[in-house]
């Protein structure tokens, strides 16, 4: 009888430009000891984030198989990635529509038997080792050289890893997972989910009825997934969350006409109405007295809105490029009706598929989600336990709410966000999020 080999693969990929100079990183870890067994990284030229992430997954699975080539079905690999897209597609819950992704997903699925691989999404902060490898590869490519394992310092940035005891037969996981996480958390003085290996993973999206599953993958069973805190059940003390108060900018002249106004257009200033809305928001937050920091999009309408609040509160404003509005390509400045008239087929495709970009080289919702999620992870790490006013746009706010709810991309078309409205999301140390407010305009009355 073959001895079971349990490995963890952490993988990541990045692109400086999306598409732009890209690279991936992957690390193979012994699930029983937490020891790093292998690292892989490569600069892959110009590519998108998603392509680089899939390449990282392929490299990680290939390295895992190479370590135990004769293990066969006894090899068990748990993949941990901060790319929701790759995890959901490889788990079979999301369709793979983009032509660049399909062959990469097929390559990944063919490396190991279907029963040997499970997938888990983790926050970016828990994927530092692979992220650092990807950045080392991109740095090497920038300098005209190849990444070298002997020169890598990526493991120095990796979070402390605590091995989990053998989970035994599948039925044991349900009964023992919570106790194991609690015991490990008490032993290291932290939360139960941070830094653990081969855990069952966070709760996943509900399975849609029209999913095209990827051959050769196995999703983590829902019964084994670690449940987020819901309802009124007793919750562990996770400390003070990072709370994002999401303020949409005030009106511009384009806002009441409902024209596409993204990061690829004219960068309009606030109108007189918009300036009044910003002033009312400033009075509201001054009375509230809870805002500790202010972060905003680099676009002018957000900077002007944030400045009104910052002047009232006596705070500085930090610019975060990841919070900019989506680039709507050739649709910038047009109404929805004008776009339908001129680019009807493109608009229909955009409404149906989050991976479809607007006409003329704009950003798809998938690309925006990757960018916004990266900004969210940077900000939650920087402002842990603090209340931050985040001044941004419709698409980034809807994306943050959608990701917090783990809702499908189509849910963005079912949210209303008025100019200068307030929404709130809290981010806890275990990776879970809580949506506390959406589209509140009471301060404008």
């Amino acid at each position: 009888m073959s001895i079971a080999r349990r490995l963890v693969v952490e993988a990541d990929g990045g692109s400086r430009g999306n598409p732009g100079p890209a690279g991936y990183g992957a690390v193979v870890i012994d699930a029983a000891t937490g020891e790093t067994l292998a690292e892989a990284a490569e600069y892959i030229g110009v590519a998108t984030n998603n392509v680089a992430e899939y390449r990282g997954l392929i490299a990680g699975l290939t390295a895992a198989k190479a370590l135990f080539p004769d293990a066969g079905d006894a090899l068990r690999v748990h993949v941990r990635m901060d790319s929701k897209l790759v995890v959901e597609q490889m788990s079979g819950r999301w369709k793979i529509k983009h032509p660049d992704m399909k062959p990469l997903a097929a390559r990944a699925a063919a490396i190991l038997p279907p029963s040997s691989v499970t997938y888990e999404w983790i926050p970016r902060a828990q994927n530092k080792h692979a992220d650092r490898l990807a950045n080392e590869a991109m740095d090497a490519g920038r300098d005209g050289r190849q990444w070298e394992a002997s020169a890598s310092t990526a493991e120095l940035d990796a979070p402390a890893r605590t091995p989990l005891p053998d989970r035994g037969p599948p039925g044991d996981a349900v009964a023992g997972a919570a106790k194991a996480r609690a015991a490990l958390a008490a032993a290291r003085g932290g939360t139960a989910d941070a830094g653990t290996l081969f855990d069952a993973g966070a709760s996943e999206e509900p399975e849609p009825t029209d999913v095209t599953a990827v051959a050769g993958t196995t999703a983590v069973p829902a019964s084994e997934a670690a449940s987020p805190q819901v309802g009124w059940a007793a919750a562990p003390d996770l400390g003070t969350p990072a709370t994002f108060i999401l303020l949409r900018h005030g009106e511009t002249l384009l806002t009441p006409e409902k024209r596409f106004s993204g990061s690829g257009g004219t960068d309009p200033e606030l109108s007189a109405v918009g300036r009044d809305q910003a002033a009312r928001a400033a009075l509201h937050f001054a009375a509230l007295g809870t805002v500790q920091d202010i972060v905003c999009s680099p676009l002018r309408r957000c900077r002007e809105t944030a400045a009104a609040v910052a002047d009232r509160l006596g705070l500085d404003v930090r610019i975060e490029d990841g919070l900019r509005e989506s680039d709507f390509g050739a649709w910038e400045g047009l109404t929805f009706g004008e776009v339908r008239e001129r680019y009807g087929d493109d608009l229909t495709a955009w409404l149906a598929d989050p991976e479809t970009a607007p006409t003329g080289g704009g950003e798809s919702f998938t690309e925006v989600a990757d960018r916004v999620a990266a900004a969210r992870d940077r900000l939650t790490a920087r402002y842990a336990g603090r209340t931050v006013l985040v001044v941004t746009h419709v698409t980034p706010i809807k994306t943050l709410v959608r990701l917090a709810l783990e809702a499908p991309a189509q849910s963005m078309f079912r949210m209303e966000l008025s100019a200068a409205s307030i929404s709130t999301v809290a981010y806890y140390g275990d990776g879970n999020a809580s949506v506390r407010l959406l589209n509140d305009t009471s301060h404008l009355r």
Side-chain angles (χ1 to χ4, degrees):
M1 180 177 179
S2 300
I3 299 175
R5 300 283 187 180
R6 298 190 307 136
L7 303 177
V8 172
V9 167
E10 294 177 350
D12 198 10
S15 171
R16 295 170 180 172
N18 200 29
Y24 67 75
V27 55
V28 182
I29 304 158
D30 187 321
T33 66
E35 177 187 1
T36 295
L37 302 179
E39 291 177 321
E42 183 184 4
Y43 173 69
I44 59 174
V46 175
T48 64
N49 280 328
N50 295 150
V51 167
E53 288 162 347
Y54 263 110
R55 290 287 299 275
L57 170 63
I58 291 168
L61 292 175
T62 300
K65 182 177 181 180
L67 287 170
F68 300 101
D70 301 322
D73 291 340
L75 183 62
R76 295 288 184 269
V77 177
H78 187 60
V79 176
R80 294 156 48 99
M81 298 181 68
D82 59 58
S83 171
K84 188 75 170 176
L85 177 80
V86 174
V87 168
E88 293 300 311
Q89 288 181 341
M90 291 303 298
S91 296
R93 286 180 287 270
W94 288 4
K95 286 184 177 180
I96 304 174
K97 299 179 180 179
H98 197 287
D100 291 343
M101 302 301 116
K102 290 181 179 180
L104 294 172
R107 282 177 60 190
I111 295 170
L112 291 168
S115 60
S116 296
V117 186
T118 54
Y119 290 86
E120 175 192 1
W121 177 85
I122 58 174
R124 187 175 297 267
Q126 294 181 26
N127 203 24
K128 288 184 177 180
H129 193 160
D131 177 75
R132 179 64 179 270
L133 287 169
N135 277 285
E136 286 183 350
M138 286 184 279
D139 289 344
R142 177 198 61 201
D143 298 338
R145 54 185 175 82
Q146 293 294 321
W147 177 83
E148 296 180 4
S150 60
S152 175
T153 60
E155 190 167 13
L156 299 178
D157 285 347
R161 299 185 180 112
T162 305
L164 287 181
D166 195 326
R167 290 165 63 187
D172 292 347
V174 176
K179 290 182 179 179
R181 287 195 297 273
L184 288 168
R188 63 178 177 269
T191 63
D193 291 333
T196 59
L197 296 182
F198 223 88
D199 200 357
S203 63
E204 301 289 0
E205 300 244 1
E207 182 176 347
T209 57
D210 61 348
V211 164
T212 301
V214 179
T217 63
T218 302
V220 178
S223 63
E224 296 185 21
S227 300
Q229 177 62 26
V230 294
W232 296 327
D237 182 7
L238 299 176
T240 304
T243 301
F244 288 4
I245 301 176
L246 306 171
L247 175 64
R248 185 190 170 195
H249 61 79
E251 282 190 12
T252 72
L253 293 177
L254 300 179
T255 306
E257 297 180 4
K258 296 187 179 298
R259 294 185 178 274
F260 284 92
S261 182
S263 58
T266 58
D267 196 13
E269 64 182 354
L270 294 179
S271 64
V273 172
R275 289 192 292 274
D276 179 68
Q277 291 169 334
R280 289 174 182 268
L283 288 172
H284 169 74
F285 291 120
L288 207 60
T290 57
V291 173
Q292 297 171 287
D293 303 277
I294 301 176
V295 179
C296 88
S297 156
L299 299 186
R300 184 174 182 178
R301 51 197 182 272
C302 286
R303 288 188 284 109
E304 291 178 344
T305 303
V309 180
D311 289 346
R312 173 70 64 169
L313 301 185
L315 296 174
D316 294 328
V317 177
R318 183 183 184 89
I319 302 298
E320 169 54 62
D321 185 65
L323 296 173
R324 68 186 186 277
E325 182 56 286
S326 176
D327 183 344
F328 293 113
W331 303 351
E332 294 281 359
L334 302 180
T335 65
F336 191 87
E338 290 169 340
V339 172
R340 183 174 292 283
E341 181 179 345
R342 301 182 195 183
Y343 309 104
D345 291 343
D346 291 351
L347 179 63
T348 298
W350 179 73
L351 292 171
D353 184 0
E355 294 185 2
T356 298
T359 311
E363 288 180 288
S364 70
F365 280 139
T366 297
E367 291 171 327
V368 174
D370 286 344
R371 164 165 61 80
V372 170
R376 174 203 61 195
D377 292 346
R378 288 192 295 271
L379 295 176
T380 52
R382 176 181 289 274
Y383 298 110
R386 297 179 67 81
T387 298
V388 185
L389 179 65
V390 179
V391 185
T392 182
H393 310 264
V394 168
T395 308
I397 293 174
K398 288 185 177 182
T399 298
L400 288 167
V401 171
R402 177 182 77 79
L403 293 175
L405 296 173
E406 296 189 348
Q410 284 74 15
S411 66
M412 305 221 343
F413 298 118
R414 293 170 173 79
M415 299 183 208
E416 177 69 25
L417 277 182
S418 302
S421 64
I422 298 171
S423 304
T424 305
V425 181
Y427 297 93
Y428 289 89
D430 67 345
N432 284 314
S434 172
V435 177
R436 298 181 173 182
L437 190 66
L438 181 67
N439 196 38
D440 179 23
T441 57
S442 60
H443 58 289
L444 301 178
R445 298 173 194 146

